Amino acid sequence: QLQLVESGGGSVESGGSLTLSCVVSGYFYKQYSMAWFRQAPGKEREGVADIDSDDNPTYADSVKGRFTISRDYANNTLYLQMNSLKPEDTAMYYCTADTSRGILKLYDSGGYPNYWGQGTQVTVSS
């Protein structure tokens, strides 16, 4: 059983940067894939980035080149470095974990990651 706690959200101006963190408690298997999702008011939840058990990242087209996902096993933490932020990046961001190799593909095919955090709000002003 894992518990995920996100932090690092806030308000920034367009073009700014933020780094989100997700601390994982419980038994943090390297075999778990992890991912970031986001949901803006009135919009569907979407996958942003995931990282598999071999630390291979996958990104949504909307964030490629701007966001970087990484994980620190020593500190049981998942990160999302967000640069060149745009107003359309405004959303609640969620950390997830699952034993499936590709969480974004899992979600796109109708699956649902097993573990979710409570979310952290990111607001980007123009």
XYZ file of all heavy atoms in Angstrom, residues 24-90:
544
model
N 6.485 9.576 -1.566
C 5.822 8.278 -1.518
C 6.143 7.599 -0.196
O 7.318 7.407 0.140
C 6.277 7.388 -2.686
C 5.525 6.056 -2.665
C 6.085 8.097 -4.009
N 5.135 7.254 0.556
C 5.349 6.478 1.782
C 4.770 5.086 1.582
O 3.875 4.867 0.780
C 4.691 7.165 2.979
O 3.298 7.265 2.795
N 5.278 4.166 2.346
C 4.922 2.782 2.135
C 6.102 2.093 1.488
O 7.215 2.620 1.448
N 5.889 0.964 0.947
C 6.982 0.208 0.368
C 7.185 0.656 -1.068
O 6.377 0.360 -1.933
C 6.681 -1.286 0.448
C 7.905 -2.136 0.299
C 8.981 -1.991 1.142
C 7.975 -3.083 -0.703
C 10.120 -2.777 1.001
C 9.086 -3.876 -0.849
C 10.158 -3.732 0.007
O 11.265 -4.519 -0.133
N 8.236 1.406 -1.302
C 8.449 2.050 -2.583
C 9.236 1.137 -3.498
O 10.450 1.188 -3.568
C 9.184 3.378 -2.374
C 9.293 4.231 -3.605
C 8.253 4.358 -4.496
C 10.461 4.927 -3.864
C 8.356 5.149 -5.622
C 10.573 5.732 -4.988
C 9.523 5.839 -5.860
N 8.522 0.268 -4.195
C 9.162 -0.623 -5.135
C 9.639 0.121 -6.369
O 8.923 0.950 -6.906
C 8.174 -1.695 -5.606
C 7.845 -2.746 -4.579
C 6.669 -2.659 -3.849
C 8.686 -3.832 -4.374
C 6.333 -3.629 -2.927
C 8.370 -4.802 -3.455
C 7.195 -4.709 -2.733
O 6.878 -5.660 -1.816
N 10.819 -0.230 -6.809
C 11.315 0.343 -8.048
C 10.448 -0.107 -9.222
O 10.386 0.543 -10.245
C 12.776 -0.045 -8.274
C 13.422 0.639 -9.475
C 14.862 0.210 -9.638
C 15.552 1.004 -10.739
N 14.981 0.734 -12.063
N 9.746 -1.242 -9.025
C 8.926 -1.773 -10.106
C 7.696 -0.919 -10.407
O 7.055 -1.085 -11.427
C 8.472 -3.204 -9.771
C 9.568 -4.238 -9.876
C 10.440 -4.270 -8.647
O 10.234 -3.522 -7.708
N 11.430 -5.148 -8.668
N 7.354 -0.006 -9.493
C 6.209 0.852 -9.727
C 6.541 1.900 -10.785
O 7.595 2.545 -10.742
C 5.805 1.582 -8.446
C 4.909 0.783 -7.543
C 5.431 -0.083 -6.600
C 3.532 0.907 -7.644
C 4.605 -0.808 -5.767
C 2.688 0.179 -6.814
C 3.240 -0.674 -5.886
O 2.410 -1.394 -5.069
N 5.641 2.081 -11.739
C 5.682 3.238 -12.607
C 4.945 4.365 -11.896
O 4.073 4.129 -11.064
C 4.984 2.945 -13.940
O 5.683 1.959 -14.655
N 5.315 5.594 -12.231
C 4.654 6.739 -11.613
C 4.330 7.776 -12.682
O 4.941 7.769 -13.754
C 5.544 7.350 -10.538
C 5.857 6.375 -9.408
S 6.422 7.170 -7.924
C 4.900 7.977 -7.386
N 3.377 8.616 -12.377
C 2.936 9.577 -13.383
C 2.331 10.811 -12.727
O 1.965 10.794 -11.549
C 1.888 8.932 -14.299
N 2.252 11.863 -13.516
C 1.542 13.084 -13.136
C 0.344 13.254 -14.063
O 0.475 13.120 -15.279
C 2.450 14.302 -13.250
C 3.524 14.365 -12.220
C 4.812 13.942 -12.347
C 3.412 14.899 -10.892
N 5.508 14.168 -11.175
C 4.662 14.756 -10.276
C 2.361 15.477 -10.172
C 4.910 15.177 -8.967
C 2.604 15.902 -8.879
C 3.853 15.756 -8.284
N -0.793 13.556 -13.465
C -2.002 13.906 -14.190
C -2.402 15.326 -13.784
O -1.931 15.851 -12.775
C -3.148 12.941 -13.835
C -3.042 11.595 -14.490
C -2.123 10.663 -14.042
C -3.861 11.268 -15.559
C -2.023 9.413 -14.649
C -3.766 10.024 -16.171
C -2.850 9.097 -15.707
N -3.281 15.921 -14.571
C -3.819 17.213 -14.192
C -5.270 17.315 -14.632
O -5.704 16.636 -15.564
C -3.002 18.358 -14.801
C -3.062 18.452 -16.312
C -2.109 19.538 -16.803
N -2.143 19.692 -18.256
C -1.316 20.464 -18.950
N -0.372 21.163 -18.313
N -1.421 20.550 -20.260
N -5.999 18.166 -13.936
C -7.388 18.408 -14.280
C -7.713 19.865 -14.029
O -7.580 20.354 -12.898
C -8.335 17.502 -13.485
C -9.769 17.606 -13.953
C -10.639 16.490 -13.417
O -10.319 15.844 -12.419
N -11.750 16.239 -14.091
N -8.146 20.535 -15.086
C -8.567 21.923 -14.998
C -10.081 21.965 -14.802
O -10.782 21.028 -15.198
C -8.173 22.676 -16.258
N -10.596 23.022 -14.201
C -12.043 23.129 -13.991
C -12.806 22.987 -15.301
O -12.470 23.630 -16.303
C -12.209 24.532 -13.404
C -10.912 24.826 -12.762
C -9.883 24.165 -13.626
N -13.793 22.118 -15.300
C -14.620 21.923 -16.478
C -14.000 21.082 -17.567
O -14.583 20.922 -18.638
N -12.798 20.567 -17.322
C -12.123 19.753 -18.329
C -11.865 18.352 -17.800
O -11.866 18.115 -16.589
C -10.807 20.409 -18.745
C -10.967 21.739 -19.457
C -9.636 22.222 -19.992
C -9.799 23.510 -20.776
N -8.504 23.983 -21.339
N -11.623 17.430 -18.713
C -11.321 16.061 -18.302
C -9.890 15.975 -17.764
O -9.019 16.745 -18.133
C -11.481 15.112 -19.494
C -12.918 14.957 -19.952
C -13.073 13.868 -21.008
O -12.056 13.296 -21.425
O -14.222 13.611 -21.404
N -9.705 14.994 -16.904
C -8.371 14.720 -16.388
C -7.497 14.231 -17.530
O -7.942 13.471 -18.383
C -8.443 13.674 -15.297
C -7.117 13.371 -14.619
C -7.292 12.274 -13.595
N -8.133 12.673 -12.503
C -9.143 11.932 -12.042
N -9.425 10.772 -12.610
N -9.849 12.343 -11.017
N -6.237 14.666 -17.563
C -5.333 14.233 -18.623
C -3.970 13.852 -18.041
O -3.519 14.427 -17.053
C -5.154 15.335 -19.668
C -4.516 16.619 -19.154
C -4.181 17.600 -20.260
O -4.131 17.211 -21.442
O -3.935 18.786 -19.924
N -3.355 12.881 -18.690
C -2.016 12.493 -18.298
C -1.003 13.508 -18.788
O -1.112 13.999 -19.907
N -0.051 13.829 -17.958
C 0.970 14.823 -18.285
C 2.290 14.137 -18.619
O 2.906 14.419 -19.641
C 1.168 15.803 -17.112
C 2.317 16.761 -17.393
C -0.122 16.562 -16.834
N 2.726 13.252 -17.734
C 4.003 12.562 -17.927
C 4.022 11.325 -17.061
O 3.401 11.302 -15.994
C 5.175 13.473 -17.564
N 4.734 10.302 -17.524
C 4.964 9.149 -16.658
C 6.409 8.698 -16.775
O 7.149 9.136 -17.661
C 3.974 8.006 -16.927
C 4.187 7.299 -18.257
O 5.270 7.450 -18.856
O 3.270 6.584 -18.705
N 6.796 7.857 -15.823
C 8.160 7.318 -15.808
C 8.054 5.864 -15.381
O 7.426 5.556 -14.361
C 9.071 8.168 -14.888
C 10.530 7.720 -14.973
C 8.578 8.189 -13.438
C 11.514 8.730 -14.401
N 8.623 4.970 -16.176
C 8.433 3.548 -15.883
C 9.524 3.024 -14.952
O 10.360 3.786 -14.466
C 8.338 2.738 -17.183
C 9.630 2.703 -17.972
O 10.712 3.002 -17.409
O 9.587 2.348 -19.163
N 9.502 1.741 -14.718
C 10.414 1.128 -13.760
C 11.870 1.178 -14.213
O 12.773 0.977 -13.415
C 9.994 -0.315 -13.483
O 9.937 -1.043 -14.690
N 12.092 1.434 -15.514
C 13.454 1.620 -16.022
C 13.799 3.089 -16.168
O 14.792 3.433 -16.824
C 13.598 0.917 -17.382
C 13.526 -0.591 -17.250
O 14.067 -1.125 -16.264
O 12.903 -1.234 -18.120
N 12.959 3.940 -15.587
C 13.160 5.394 -15.615
C 13.059 5.978 -17.021
O 13.690 6.999 -17.323
C 14.490 5.798 -14.972
C 14.477 5.626 -13.466
O 13.372 5.556 -12.888
O 15.554 5.537 -12.862
N 12.274 5.348 -17.870
C 12.005 5.907 -19.193
C 10.797 6.830 -19.098
O 9.723 6.404 -18.668
C 11.717 4.794 -20.202
C 12.897 3.877 -20.389
O 14.008 4.332 -20.659
N 12.689 2.577 -20.263
N 10.935 8.090 -19.504
C 9.815 9.017 -19.403
C 8.969 9.053 -20.675
O 9.451 8.768 -21.774
C 10.507 10.365 -19.199
C 11.774 10.231 -19.989
C 12.173 8.783 -19.888
N 7.714 9.409 -20.490
C 6.798 9.670 -21.592
C 6.065 10.959 -21.269
O 5.694 11.176 -20.114
C 5.766 8.530 -21.747
O 6.457 7.307 -21.965
C 4.836 8.794 -22.918
N 5.862 11.787 -22.285
C 5.218 13.087 -22.061
C 4.036 13.278 -22.993
O 4.042 12.827 -24.136
C 6.221 14.224 -22.296
C 7.401 14.208 -21.357
C 8.604 13.626 -21.738
C 7.305 14.763 -20.094
C 9.686 13.595 -20.875
C 8.387 14.742 -19.222
C 9.571 14.151 -19.614
O 10.641 14.133 -18.747
N 3.048 13.990 -22.495
C 1.969 14.432 -23.360
C 2.531 15.462 -24.334
O 3.460 16.208 -23.995
C 0.859 15.050 -22.518
N 1.971 15.511 -25.536
C 2.469 16.442 -26.544
C 2.421 17.889 -26.050
O 3.279 18.702 -26.397
C 1.649 16.320 -27.828
C 1.937 15.018 -28.565
O 2.981 14.387 -28.296
O 1.110 14.631 -29.410
N 1.431 18.189 -25.248
C 1.237 19.566 -24.794
C 2.343 20.064 -23.864
O 2.474 21.275 -23.663
C -0.112 19.700 -24.090
O -0.168 18.810 -22.980
N 3.140 19.148 -23.295
C 4.181 19.562 -22.350
C 5.587 19.169 -22.784
O 6.565 19.511 -22.095
C 3.908 19.004 -20.932
C 2.512 19.388 -20.470
C 4.101 17.491 -20.886
N 5.703 18.485 -23.901
C 7.025 18.052 -24.370
C 7.948 19.247 -24.558
O 7.560 20.265 -25.125
C 6.890 17.302 -25.698
C 6.529 15.848 -25.550
C 6.453 15.160 -26.910
C 6.018 13.726 -26.770
N 5.835 13.065 -28.077
N 9.167 19.094 -24.062
C 10.139 20.168 -24.179
C 10.046 21.203 -23.075
O 10.936 22.051 -22.945
N 8.974 21.156 -22.283
C 8.803 22.135 -21.204
C 8.834 21.486 -19.828
O 9.302 22.098 -18.871
C 7.477 22.882 -21.373
C 7.363 23.649 -22.668
C 6.115 24.533 -22.688
N 4.880 23.771 -22.582
C 3.979 23.952 -21.614
N 4.176 24.863 -20.681
N 2.881 23.215 -21.601
N 8.306 20.268 -19.720
C 8.220 19.570 -18.433
C 9.208 18.411 -18.405
O 9.480 17.782 -19.436
C 6.821 19.006 -18.214
C 5.751 20.029 -17.958
C 5.958 21.386 -18.150
C 4.493 19.616 -17.522
C 4.963 22.314 -17.920
C 3.483 20.541 -17.286
C 3.721 21.881 -17.490
N 9.727 18.120 -17.216
C 10.627 16.988 -17.024
C 10.197 16.211 -15.791
O 10.081 16.783 -14.704
C 12.079 17.446 -16.852
O 12.491 18.210 -17.995
C 13.003 16.245 -16.697
N 9.961 14.906 -15.967
C 9.617 14.033 -14.848
C 10.862 13.280 -14.407
O 11.682 12.868 -15.238
C 8.483 13.057 -15.243
C 7.974 12.291 -14.024
C 8.916 12.111 -16.356
C 6.700 11.475 -14.308
N 11.018 13.121 -13.097
C 12.176 12.390 -12.576
C 11.812 11.801 -11.223
O 10.817 12.196 -10.606
C 13.395 13.313 -12.460
O 13.152 14.363 -11.545
N 12.628 10.858 -10.771
C 12.350 10.232 -9.474
C 13.652 10.065 -8.703
O 14.705 9.800 -9.295
C 11.623 8.909 -9.650
C 12.301 7.887 -10.513
C 11.344 6.818 -11.053
N 10.740 5.994 -10.041
C 9.864 5.018 -10.306
N 9.495 4.779 -11.544
N 9.358 4.296 -9.329
N 13.582 10.230 -7.401
C 14.715 10.113 -6.491
C 14.413 8.962 -5.547
O 13.608 9.109 -4.611
C 14.898 11.431 -5.734
C 16.042 11.393 -4.738
O 16.590 10.304 -4.485
O 16.395 12.455 -4.213
N 15.055 7.811 -5.781
C 14.756 6.635 -4.969
C 15.260 6.801 -3.539
O 14.672 6.270 -2.604
C 15.370 5.396 -5.612
C 14.728 5.037 -6.917
C 15.349 5.356 -8.122
C 13.496 4.406 -6.967
C 14.761 5.045 -9.328
C 12.900 4.086 -8.170
C 13.543 4.415 -9.344
O 12.954 4.118 -10.541
N 16.350 7.489 -3.358
C 16.894 7.670 -2.012
C 15.923 8.413 -1.108
O 15.863 8.158 0.099
C 18.219 8.414 -2.082
N 15.158 9.348 -1.697
C 14.216 10.146 -0.911
C 12.762 9.796 -1.196
O 11.860 10.497 -0.743
C 14.446 11.630 -1.186
C 15.783 12.106 -0.654
O 16.051 12.008 0.542
N 16.631 12.591 -1.542
N 12.540 8.697 -1.934
C 11.172 8.257 -2.241
C 10.324 9.399 -2.808
O 9.188 9.614 -2.361
C 10.501 7.682 -0.995
C 10.957 6.276 -0.681
O 11.871 5.754 -1.299
N 10.319 5.653 0.290
N 10.873 10.122 -3.755
C 10.183 11.303 -4.261
C 10.137 11.317 -5.782
O 11.124 11.005 -6.447
C 10.864 12.585 -3.755
O 10.905 12.574 -2.323
C 10.113 13.823 -4.211
N 8.990 11.694 -6.304
C 8.779 11.917 -7.730
C 8.713 13.428 -7.951
O 8.119 14.141 -7.128
C 7.471 11.276 -8.184
C 7.061 11.488 -9.631
C 7.922 10.627 -10.556
C 5.583 11.161 -9.824
N 9.302 13.901 -9.029
C 9.311 15.329 -9.334
C 8.699 15.602 -10.697
O 8.686 14.747 -11.582
C 10.744 15.870 -9.336
C 11.459 15.753 -8.022
C 12.381 14.738 -7.795
C 11.210 16.659 -6.992
C 13.052 14.624 -6.588
C 11.872 16.550 -5.775
C 12.790 15.536 -5.580
O 13.441 15.419 -4.381
N 8.217 16.830 -10.849
C 7.818 17.332 -12.161
C 8.340 18.759 -12.255
O 7.806 19.664 -11.608
C 6.309 17.298 -12.363
C 5.846 17.703 -13.767
C 6.268 16.644 -14.802
C 4.330 17.900 -13.821
N 9.395 18.937 -13.033
C 9.939 20.258 -13.286
C 9.160 20.861 -14.446
O 9.113 20.282 -15.536
C 11.431 20.169 -13.631
C 12.048 21.482 -14.074
C 12.121 22.509 -12.958
O 12.511 22.175 -11.840
N 11.767 23.747 -13.250
N 8.563 22.033 -14.211
C 7.722 22.670 -15.222
C 8.315 24.024 -15.571
O 8.402 24.907 -14.708
C 6.292 22.834 -14.695
C 5.670 21.530 -14.224
S 3.949 21.703 -13.734
C 4.102 22.799 -12.338
N 8.717 24.151 -16.814
C 9.282 25.410 -17.311
C 8.377 26.004 -18.385
O 7.521 25.322 -18.932
C 10.672 25.168 -17.893
C 11.665 24.641 -16.875
O 11.629 25.012 -15.699
N 12.558 23.769 -17.309
N 8.607 27.268 -18.680
C 7.840 27.967 -19.721
C 6.351 27.742 -19.542
O 5.634 27.403 -20.497
C 8.293 27.486 -21.115
O 9.669 27.699 -21.303
N 5.892 27.931 -18.340
C 4.487 27.667 -18.032
C 3.562 28.606 -18.780
O 3.884 29.779 -19.023
C 4.249 27.778 -16.527
C 4.736 26.561 -15.728
C 4.892 26.898 -14.260
C 3.764 25.404 -15.910
N 2.398 28.055 -19.156
C 1.392 28.793 -19.906
C 0.095 28.817 -19.100
O -0.134 27.924 -18.269
C 1.131 28.101 -21.243
C 2.367 27.885 -22.095
C 2.020 27.081 -23.339
C 3.257 26.837 -24.196
N 2.932 26.044 -25.419
N -0.780 29.772 -19.358
C -2.069 29.791 -18.653
C -2.843 28.487 -18.797
O -3.542 28.070 -17.865
C -2.797 30.964 -19.308
C -1.700 31.881 -19.732
C -0.591 30.971 -20.183
N -2.697 27.816 -19.934
C -3.412 26.553 -20.126
C -2.841 25.398 -19.301
O -3.407 24.298 -19.292
C -3.440 26.164 -21.619
C -2.098 26.173 -22.305
C -1.836 27.475 -23.049
O -2.121 28.566 -22.485
O -1.325 27.405 -24.191
N -1.731 25.621 -18.616
C -1.207 24.628 -17.681
C -1.893 24.712 -16.315
O -1.657 23.868 -15.443
C 0.305 24.819 -17.480
C 1.097 24.551 -18.741
O 0.779 23.570 -19.452
O 2.036 25.316 -19.019
N -2.735 25.711 -16.128
C -3.451 25.868 -14.868
C -4.354 24.664 -14.627
O -5.181 24.313 -15.475
C -4.295 27.152 -14.890
O -3.418 28.278 -14.962
C -5.161 27.253 -13.642
